[in-house]
């Protein structure tokens, strides 16, 4: 009885006698990850080390985005105290300024 793979990327195409599943996959329809692998959002088994790299990448990206936002806000406010009230005030002024929206 031949069953089609649930995830095309999990199976070898065309299948051969020795390998039916791609690296990191196992099971009757290649739907189980081998030890040391984890499924990503698309259902493909990736090495656990690559999952750590992704988390690190997103963490560094978030820190850089926050630092950039901070620098932009410091440039807008100069030496004024950077508070939520000041930022909110500036956003309200910008939203009400018709010359920027017409």
């Amino acid at each position: 009885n031949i069953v089609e793979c649930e995830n095309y990327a999990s199976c070898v195409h065309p299948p051969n006698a020795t390998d039916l599943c791609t690296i990191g996959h196992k099971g009757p329809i290649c739907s189980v990850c081998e030890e040391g692998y984890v499924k990503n959002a698309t259902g493909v088994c990736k090495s656990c080390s690559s999952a750590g790299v992704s988390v690190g990448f997103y963490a560094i990206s978030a820190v850089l985005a926050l630092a950039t936002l901070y620098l932009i806000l410091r440039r807008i406010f100069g030496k004024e105290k950077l508070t939520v009230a000041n930022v909110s005030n500036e956003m309200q002024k910008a939203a009400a300024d018709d010359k920027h929206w017409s």
Side-chain angles (χ1 to χ4, degrees), residues 84-96:
V84 173
N86 286 344
V87 172
S88 177
N89 223 1
E90 287 298 316
M91 289 174 67
Q92 287 174 357
K93 280 195 258 181

Side-chain angles (χ1 to χ4, degrees), residues 46-80:
K46 295 288 184 182
S47 174
C48 288
S49 62
S50 66
V53 171
S54 295
V55 169
F57 171 76
Y58 289 120
I60 289 170
S61 296
V63 169
L64 289 174
L66 289 173
T68 302
L69 178 63
Y70 174 78
L71 292 173
I72 290 169
L73 291 173
R74 289 300 301 169
R75 184 159 178 106
I76 291 171
F77 292 108
K79 293 185 180 187
E80 283 184 48

Side-chain angles (χ1 to χ4, degrees), residues 6-100:
E6 290 178 353
N7 188 336
Y8 187 84
S10 302
C11 300
V12 174
H13 301 282
N16 59 50
T18 56
D19 291 319
L20 297 176
C21 302
T22 57
I23 295 172
H25 296 268
K26 67 179 183 178
I29 53 174
C30 305
S31 62
V32 178
C33 292
E34 292 181 353
E35 190 172 327
Y37 288 81
V38 63
K39 275 191 185 180
N40 66 11
T42 62
V44 177
C45 296
K46 295 288 184 182
S47 174
C48 288
S49 62
S50 66
V53 171
S54 295
V55 169
F57 171 76
Y58 289 120
I60 289 170
S61 296
V63 169
L64 289 174
L66 289 173
T68 302
L69 178 63
Y70 174 78
L71 292 173
I72 290 169
L73 291 173
R74 289 300 301 169
R75 184 159 178 106
I76 291 171
F77 292 108
K79 293 185 180 187
E80 283 184 48
K81 200 170 192 178
L82 190 60
T83 64
V84 173
N86 286 344
V87 172
S88 177
N89 223 1
E90 287 298 316
M91 289 174 67
Q92 287 174 357
K93 280 195 258 181
D97 190 1
D98 289 336
K99 72 179 181 179
H100 293 293

